Amino acid sequence: SGLITRLQTSAPTIRTLSSSNSFSQNMPSCVWKLGRLNHVAIAVPDLEKAQSLYKDVLGAQVSETVALPEHGVYTVFVELGNTKLELLHPLGEKSPIASFLQKNKAGGMHHICIEVDDIKAAMTELKKKKIRILSEEPKIGAHGKPVIFLHPKDCHGVLVELEQA
């Protein structure tokens, strides 16, 4: 019985969070809500090879190439079960993807895109919280919806795109 007593007294205490202490209740309330991950964007130096990898090798459904001159990119979307990958390739010399690929010759993750229910309210609140937005007004993104980009230095090194849901 001495061993059982020692085990009982030395066992770690397990604490659980009660509903009054839940994570979501400690979050500040916002006028806008963050939604689901829409896509992860990958800059690629060779768009045809990247399309082939996802379509022919991995068997994914891959969209046609779409030119977005206002963003300086060609885009291709790879459909996944729960989100998408966006393959980005430069369109023109002033493309932000061209400068990214100059620094990252093999390509790589460029940004993540998260949906929001009210992009204007998000912009107003983020500016108050000193998060830099890379444009004064939302632009129309690849899905035909308003988008903004948040400065990576304000988002722990990640370029974050917010898209109106």
Side-chain angles (χ1 to χ4, degrees):
S1 91
L3 177 61
I4 292 177
T5 304
R6 280 193 310 237
L7 286 173
Q8 287 173 335
T9 58
S10 66
T13 304
I14 298 173
R15 297 185 345 163
T16 58
L17 291 174
S18 68
S19 60
S20 63
N21 242 356
S22 74
F23 179 73
S24 63
Q25 289 180 339
N26 291 332
M27 298 298 291
S29 62
C30 290
V31 176
W32 58 282
K33 287 190 177 20
L34 201 58
R36 71 180 189 92
L37 175 67
N38 184 284
H39 64 266
V40 174
I42 303 168
V44 297
D46 187 325
L47 193 54
E48 287 180 15
K49 277 187 182 177
Q51 282 175 294
S52 178
L53 168 70
Y54 289 101
K55 183 178 181 182
D56 302 329
V57 176
L58 299 176
Q61 182 180 349
V62 177
S63 76
E64 295 298 317
T65 302
V66 175
L68 295 175
E70 64 276 12
H71 293 277
V73 296
Y74 290 104
T75 65
V76 169
F77 281 94
V78 179
E79 294 290 331
L80 304 175
N82 58 349
T83 191
K84 296 179 279 296
L85 298 177
E86 179 183 33
L87 306 179
L88 297 171
H89 187 73
L91 171 62
E93 293 176 18
K94 294 183 180 179
S95 169
I97 300 306
S99 60
F100 180 91
L101 288 171
Q102 285 174 354
K103 297 175 198 151
N104 306 278
K105 300 289 184 208
M109 191 188 93
H110 185 261
H111 68 268
I112 64 169
C113 176
I114 304 171
E115 296 175 358
V116 295
D117 67 343
D118 186 339
I119 201 160
K120 289 288 198 174
M123 289 177 72
T124 300
E125 195 165 319
L126 290 167
K127 284 178 184 176
K128 286 180 189 171
K129 293 178 178 178
K130 306 290 188 231
I131 302 294
R132 289 173 283 178
I133 299 170
L134 300 181
S135 61
E136 288 299 314
E137 289 296 321
K139 294 180 180 179
I140 299 303
H143 298 114
K145 298 178 180 180
V147 300
I148 58 170
F149 286 87
L150 309 181
H151 199 294
K153 288 184 179 174
D154 298 339
C155 300
H156 306 283
V158 177
L159 179 60
V160 176
E161 178 183 19
L162 298 181
E163 178 180 282
Q164 178 73 44

